[in-house]
Amino acid sequence: MFKNTISNLTRIRQVAEVLLRYGFEDVVTTTPLRRLVSQSRRLRWLENDDRPVFETTRWERIRLIIEELGPTFIKLAQALSNRADLLPQALIDEFEKLQSNVPPFPVEEARQIIEFELARPLEEVFAEFDNVPIGSASIGQVHRARLHSGEEVVVKIQRPGVREKVEGDLRLLHELVRLTGGFLRNQGLSNPQDVVDAFERSMTKELDYTSEARAMEQMRKLYEHYNTFYIPQPYRELSTAKILVIEFVNGCKITDNSQLLAWGLSPEVVAETGMDIYLTQIFEFGFFHADPHPGNVLVRPDGTLVLIDFGMVGKLTKQQKYAFAGVFIGMARQDARSMAVNFRRLALSSEIPDMRAFEADLGRLIEDFALLDVKEMSMSDLADSLQGIIYQYKLQVPGAVFLILRALVILEGIGKVLHPRFNTFEFVRPYGAKILREQYSPENILSEAEYTGTQLLALLQTLPIDLRQIMRKVSKGELRVKVELSGYTSLLRKADQLVSRTVLALLTLGTLLFAGLSLLGHYPPEMPYYRGLPVITWYSLGISLFIVLLLTMPRRARRE
């Protein structure tokens, strides 16, 4: 425990130094981080009056800081690049440039991890094991292998010590948020602790490979009857939290046009099939692969599409699915009010002070895109505009929404490589109409009516009990009403100061009166005197003087 505390303090001091080096002295000097910077370092910073004008923007310097702080911070920034409700677009653009370039770890260590996790020699598990990894990342690396039964597999192995490193960095993040929370909130990040908590849950899941295996099995079950889409099989009996064995699938990247043509496949058909599968994941199942970049989407020689790497998946509830589709339907119908209503349904919490201004901004967005030709429409531009409105109005929408927008932008980029006339909106439109029919189908209306009826029945069952408890408290005079005042902070602070000074003044008056009355007392011979006055009188005068000093001392000095 003590060792961790010292380690954290050292690391936090390093973070403060990095912030100062990149010109973020306001973060350090206005937060408790200033206590961790040595006096000599402060003086060197203050004496450096002839600093050159920064040649990079504030956002670029934030990215440079993240790169210097290491892989966990890079992963946090990459996760935040999907949260346009929290960060300005300029910072998101910088975070999207971050790459986790981590060299592979020695194959001897990989073998040791496999043998320790499976509690048997590697040769008993695999007939062949490739010593050269085919991929390496900050969490783990991947090797090809072959089972004794003949199946080709890939083995994902967690990097040695990465869990301890990530857990240490997470403790550091929590401590940094505690120290700089006030500063971050003043900068517009209203819930920094919630952000770190969500990131911690995400990293905890990523460090457990069994979560990825479950996601693959769930997706395989959803698409078990599809001939155009395939999910590799995870070998659960050979997998643990630190290793994951998956069926090896041979294929080319979806953007490899020349290979697709060599196999006699139509790139246009491949692009259309890929978009159709992805939109099915979102609008039908509400469970989707959240990172469909070209390296994670393969094509087999027969045209079957394959998704790999399920470390990041997203989920939408039925209501979120309807609301998200409603935003696109409202835009297609050029109905700003419908878009606004569905945005509010989609948001986890939204406090829009002026709905008319919100509708007007959505109306301007619709006008901007309504005037464009189909060929000119861009999912990237639309995603940026929607995310800008979400950030402007501080709408707390599910994180899955940003994953979808990001994925649609990636898929549009893939589509335009394969299909010269590819347009994302043409694919989304029929799904929007299908969702609308599903939402207002008799079955769904009946289901909603049953749910509402159940909720109403539960309310009616508990209402008499709640009313009885309230009336009992009223009759006994025990009912308390809690009232929170907002906007009166400064007034309450001044009232607190006034009360404190009044109490101190009364104490001063009391001790002075006691000192005066002590002169009239009759004391035994043992009572010591000083300069003709009893000692008790001098004590009373001393206390009075101390209280007077408290009264005249500035409040800030008293606190320190």
Side-chain angles (χ1 to χ4, degrees), residues 197-249:
D197 289 343
F199 176 65
E200 183 174 23
R201 289 192 295 271
S202 172
M203 287 301 297
T204 301
K205 184 177 288 187
E206 191 170 348
L207 287 168
D208 183 0
Y209 286 164
T210 58
S211 296
E212 183 174 349
R214 285 194 298 270
M216 295 181 74
E217 288 178 337
Q218 186 175 350
M219 190 71 79
R220 280 174 62 85
K221 188 173 182 180
L222 292 173
Y223 284 93
E224 60 185 348
H225 300 301
Y226 277 67
N227 297 322
T228 57
F229 184 48
Y230 185 74
I231 308 294
Q233 175 190 350
Y235 290 80
R236 293 294 296 273
E237 69 279 5
L238 298 177
S239 301
T240 68
K242 292 186 177 181
I243 63 170
L244 177 60
V245 180
I246 310 169
E247 171 190 4
F248 174 76
V249 177

Side-chain angles (χ1 to χ4, degrees), residues 180-195:
T180 63
F183 178 87
L184 293 172
R185 281 186 286 273
N186 290 336
Q187 299 301 310
L189 189 59
S190 59
N191 53 347
Q193 188 59 59
D194 292 346
V195 171

Side-chain angles (χ1 to χ4, degrees), residues 501 548-558:
R501 287 177 175 272
V548 169
L549 288 174
L550 282 179
L551 278 169
T552 55
M553 189 182 297
R555 187 176 179 83
R556 182 185 297 274
R558 288 207 306 273

Side-chain angles (χ1 to χ4, degrees), residues 482-532:
K482 183 179 179 181
V483 178
E484 291 187 3
L485 299 176
S486 59
Y488 295 95
T489 307
S490 60
L491 182 62
L492 292 172
R493 190 181 298 116
K494 289 185 178 182
D496 176 57
Q497 293 175 8
L498 181 61
V499 170
S500 299
R501 287 177 175 272
T502 302
V503 170
L504 288 173
L506 290 173
L507 284 172
T508 305
L509 180 61
T511 52
L512 285 173
L513 285 172
F514 181 79
L517 291 171
S518 67
L519 295 173
L520 304 176
H522 298 283
Y523 303 105
E526 294 82 7
M527 170 64 72
Y529 280 73
Y530 179 72
R531 292 183 180 270

Side-chain angles (χ1 to χ4, degrees), residues 216-496:
M216 295 181 74
E217 288 178 337
Q218 186 175 350
M219 190 71 79
R220 280 174 62 85
K221 188 173 182 180
L222 292 173
Y223 284 93
E224 60 185 348
H225 300 301
Y226 277 67
N227 297 322
T228 57
F229 184 48
Y230 185 74
I231 308 294
Q233 175 190 350
Y235 290 80
R236 293 294 296 273
E237 69 279 5
L238 298 177
S239 301
T240 68
K242 292 186 177 181
I243 63 170
L244 177 60
V245 180
I246 310 169
E247 171 190 4
F248 174 76
V249 177
N250 193 21
C252 70
K253 280 186 179 182
I254 190 171
T255 51
D256 192 346
N257 244 324
S258 57
Q259 184 61 67
L260 295 177
L261 292 171
W263 285 340
L265 301 175
S266 166
E268 290 87 352
V269 173
V270 169
E272 292 171 1
T273 303
M275 182 57 79
D276 182 65
I277 289 169
Y278 194 80
L279 293 177
T280 301
Q281 292 178 32
I282 299 170
F283 293 115
E284 287 194 20
F285 302 131
F287 179 71
F288 58 92
H289 187 290
D291 193 20
H293 66 75
N296 285 340
V297 187
L298 305 180
V299 184
R300 282 175 158 179
D302 62 356
T304 303
L305 267 71
V306 182
L307 272 180
I308 60 174
D309 193 352
F310 280 75
M312 187 187 298
V313 294
K315 294 180 181 180
L316 288 175
T317 66
K318 184 189 290 186
Q319 296 307 318
Q320 290 169 351
K321 183 175 69 173
Y322 292 153
F324 183 71
V327 171
F328 281 90
I329 293 168
M331 183 176 172
R333 293 178 173 178
Q334 300 186 27
D335 186 348
R337 175 163 293 183
S338 174
M339 281 189 76
V341 169
N342 281 290
F343 254 127
R344 293 199 68 173
R345 288 175 57 202
L346 184 62
L348 302 173
S349 64
S350 60
E351 297 178 4
I352 302 173
D354 190 345
M355 277 297 293
R356 286 181 294 183
F358 183 53
E359 289 180 20
D361 284 338
L362 290 173
R364 281 189 285 273
L365 183 147
I366 290 171
E367 289 172 7
D368 290 342
F369 284 89
L371 297 174
L372 294 177
D373 184 79
V374 171
K375 295 179 182 178
E376 298 176 316
M377 287 186 176
S378 165
M379 189 67 217
S380 177
D381 292 340
L382 176 61
D384 287 347
S385 298
L386 289 174
Q387 290 177 166
I389 288 175
I390 290 170
Y391 178 74
Q392 178 185 347
Y393 287 93
K394 303 299 178 187
L395 298 175
Q396 295 183 27
V397 301
V401 170
F402 299 106
L403 294 176
I404 292 172
L405 291 175
R406 173 178 172 272
L408 289 175
V409 171
I410 294 172
L411 289 168
E412 184 178 65
I414 293 173
K416 288 183 177 178
V417 171
L418 302 175
H419 196 321
R421 297 177 303 281
F422 188 87
N423 183 266
T424 307
F425 299 98
E426 292 298 319
F427 291 96
V428 174
R429 187 175 289 116
Y431 277 93
K434 184 177 180 180
I435 283 289
L436 199 62
R437 289 195 299 271
E438 178 187 331
Q439 184 177 0
Y440 295 106
S441 66
E443 294 84 2
N444 192 61
I445 291 174
L446 179 61
S447 175
E448 288 295 316
E450 288 177 354
Y451 175 77
T452 304
T454 303
Q455 294 293 101
L456 183 59
L457 183 60
L459 174 64
L460 292 174
Q461 287 175 339
T462 59
L463 187 60
I465 299 172
D466 294 339
L467 284 174
R468 192 179 299 117
Q469 289 177 347
I470 292 171
M471 294 305 296
R472 187 180 295 117
K473 287 185 177 181
V474 170
S475 63
K476 291 182 178 181
E478 296 176 352
L479 186 66
R480 293 182 177 87
V481 179
K482 183 179 179 181
V483 178
E484 291 187 3
L485 299 176
S486 59
Y488 295 95
T489 307
S490 60
L491 182 62
L492 292 172
R493 190 181 298 116
K494 289 185 178 182
D496 176 57

